[in-house]
Amino acid sequence: MAYNFLTQNSIIYVLIIWVIVFTIAKVSKLDKHGFEIKPYSIVYKNQKVQVVLTRILGRTQKLTRLFSNTSVIAGFIMMGFAFWYLISNLSNFFVKPESFAAMTVLIPGVTIQSGPNIAYFLLAVPIVLVIHEGAHGIVATLEKIKIKTGGFAVFIALFAGFVEPDEEEFAKSRKISKLRVIGAGATSNVLFSFIIAGLLIFNPSFALLMPDPIRSAFYHEPLGVPIISVTEGSGASKAGLLKDDIITAINGIPIVNPQDFQKVNLKPGETASVSILREGQVSQISVIPTPSTVDPQKGMLGILRAAFPAYQPVVPYYIHWSPEVFMFLLWLWMLSFFIGIFNMLPLPILDGGKFIQSIIEKKISDKAVKITMLSVYALTLALFGLNIALSVVKSGFITI
């Protein structure tokens, strides 16, 4: 899926928020409480993280062990999926341009386009990072690897969480222990995204974000196109069409997607037969179109239609979240899934790079390890860079 890029207004929102946060941090003298405050960043470190992780592990040891073993297998799957996504997206640019997903450097698959979205982003990111780094830390504790510090960092619009294991203990630990620790973060994010998806599933709005093969398992074919609003005094208003009615046909022409309206030729004053679905009941309503404000020779019903079709879930029972809660959960889902998946790409700053290096080290010489890792990094950067470059070609300069 593709999202619009960060707009100029959004950049201004981000900078304003950062100035407010930085000012509050300075006025509150947070630097006396373990924070390191700079004009471009705020970093917090805590040396008592190990105590908290040990307490959590004491209550969840069996479950954590199962999770840690699963994370090794999941690491390979997520890395493969990330590569598949990048390669298939490149293919779409040339074969199916309409399916090409524009990408940004910040988080592939997720970008910000408005002030409200920035608020959801800021609320969701800390939760995602706590889950990610907490999983690293708990599994490291399970593997008897000491955690020196843990914390988080904010770099204006970028967020990072971290746990710092004792480097010597980590280096001396078994290969399987390293893979468990490294894979735990991304695995926890993806598992959390599945939980959030469970809260959103069967909601018709969530259907719009699901790939076609997956969507068909949870939703029936689109019923038609919903009416968002009805113009007062229009033919639709006089005929009794209402907000949330779903238009399924006009003059016998099936309406499944918004594009189908282009197949309908309405004339002012000529009665049009509109088929609608209202509260599960199909009705035929006669509407007299009024002249279009753009072209008086063409008729219009007097409605504002949705930009997407209406999907009917296979299971018609779902949680009716408020729009604000739905958007917050949606951001949690997006960030958890994409951060988890793309964090397993084999790049130096991501878990995927450490994952690959842990597999091949000690099996070949240090020189061969270095050459292999540089080759893997180059391949990954090439795929990632091409996706970014083609996104620029398609959608313009990427601002973040």
Side-chain angles (χ1 to χ4, degrees), residues 199-205 313 315-321:
L199 297 175
L200 299 175
I201 203 67
F202 301 127
N203 189 309
S205 297
V315 178
Y317 302 102
Y318 56 89
I319 303 174
H320 292 267
W321 302 105

Side-chain angles (χ1 to χ4, degrees), residues 19-86:
V19 170
I20 294 173
V21 170
F22 178 79
T23 302
I24 292 174
K26 274 293 188 182
V27 172
S28 303
K29 299 181 179 179
L30 292 181
D31 50 342
K32 295 183 178 181
H33 301 280
F35 286 84
E36 182 181 312
I37 304 172
K38 296 181 180 179
Y40 55 85
S41 68
I42 296 177
V43 180
Y44 174 73
K45 292 185 178 182
N46 192 314
Q47 297 180 346
K48 297 181 180 180
V49 171
Q50 184 81 75
V51 177
V52 177
L53 295 175
T54 301
R55 289 177 181 174
I56 295 174
L57 179 62
R59 300 176 182 178
T60 62
Q61 188 159 343
K62 291 184 179 179
L63 187 61
T64 301
R65 189 168 297 281
L66 174 63
F67 167 77
S68 67
N69 289 327
T70 302
S71 67
V72 178
I73 301 172
F76 287 105
I77 295 173
M78 289 184 288
M79 187 179 297
F81 181 85
F83 272 116
W84 170 85
Y85 182 93
L86 293 176

Side-chain angles (χ1 to χ4, degrees), residues 95-143:
V95 181
K96 296 173 59 180
E98 69 280 1
S99 299
F100 177 77
M103 292 174 54
T104 64
V105 178
L106 178 59
I107 302 172
V110 179
T111 50
I112 308 171
Q113 62 177 1
S114 67
N117 282 342
I118 291 175
Y120 292 123
F121 177 82
L122 294 175
L123 289 171
V125 162
I127 297 174
V128 174
L129 293 180
V130 166
I131 291 172
H132 184 99
E133 296 303 327
H136 280 315
I138 291 174
V139 174
T141 302
L142 177 70
E143 299 296 329

Side-chain angles (χ1 to χ4, degrees), residues 266-280:
L266 297 176
K267 297 292 184 181
E270 294 184 4
T271 302
S273 177
V274 181
S275 300
I276 66 165
L277 184 65
R278 179 185 296 170
E279 297 180 354

Side-chain angles (χ1 to χ4, degrees), residues 282 336 400:
V282 178
S336 296
I400 187 167

Side-chain angles (χ1 to χ4, degrees), residues 1 15 24 36 78 84 170 213 248 291 299 302 331 380 383:
M1 76 190 68
L15 293 177
I24 292 174
E36 182 181 312
M78 289 184 288
W84 170 85
F170 185 81
T248 59
W331 272 91
T380 307
L383 285 173

